[in-house]
Amino acid sequence: MARIIDGEKMNAIGVNVKKYRKKLKMSQQALSNKLELMGVYVCRGSISRIEDQSRTVTDIELFAIAKVLKAPVEDLFDTNIFE
């Protein structure tokens, strides 16, 4: 059985991170800057890769992203990831 990390999608939150970020009219750079203020260093390019699901996300990054985007952590997860 293949591990999930072996698949195309490296995270289950990218689609919704982009949705919430755009809802707040926030650029990828602005999200990166706000994360940095929290001591979580995710560059703009990494935000892009998170959103296109080509980069993994740590638990610390997940919680910080949810806080910056003012979203419950569970709302960031794409429930269709395995379809």
Side-chain angles (χ1 to χ4, degrees):
M1 183 165 120
R3 301 176 332 172
I4 188 155
I5 207 77
D6 292 336
E8 265 181 49
K9 297 179 181 177
M10 302 294 283
N11 70 64
I13 68 165
V15 172
N16 288 327
V17 167
K18 185 175 185 175
K19 181 179 81 173
Y20 274 92
R21 180 181 60 76
K22 288 190 172 270
K23 184 177 177 183
L24 293 173
K25 297 179 175 29
M26 184 183 299
S27 68
Q28 291 175 340
Q29 186 62 56
L31 176 54
S32 174
N33 293 346
K34 288 178 184 277
L35 290 169
E36 186 173 342
L37 289 173
M38 296 175 66
V40 178
Y41 300 98
V42 182
C43 70
R44 194 232 31 101
S46 289
I47 298 293
S48 176
R49 289 187 298 281
I50 288 169
E51 291 181 353
D52 73 13
Q53 296 179 302
S54 64
R55 179 191 182 278
T56 59
V57 180
T58 68
D59 54 354
I60 293 168
E61 291 169 340
L62 171 64
F63 280 98
I65 289 168
K67 184 169 184 164
V68 170
L69 296 178
K70 301 176 178 127
V73 169
E74 58 272 12
D75 286 2
L76 293 181
F77 285 94
D78 177 7
T79 57
N80 299 314
I81 190 83
F82 295 112
E83 294 179 3

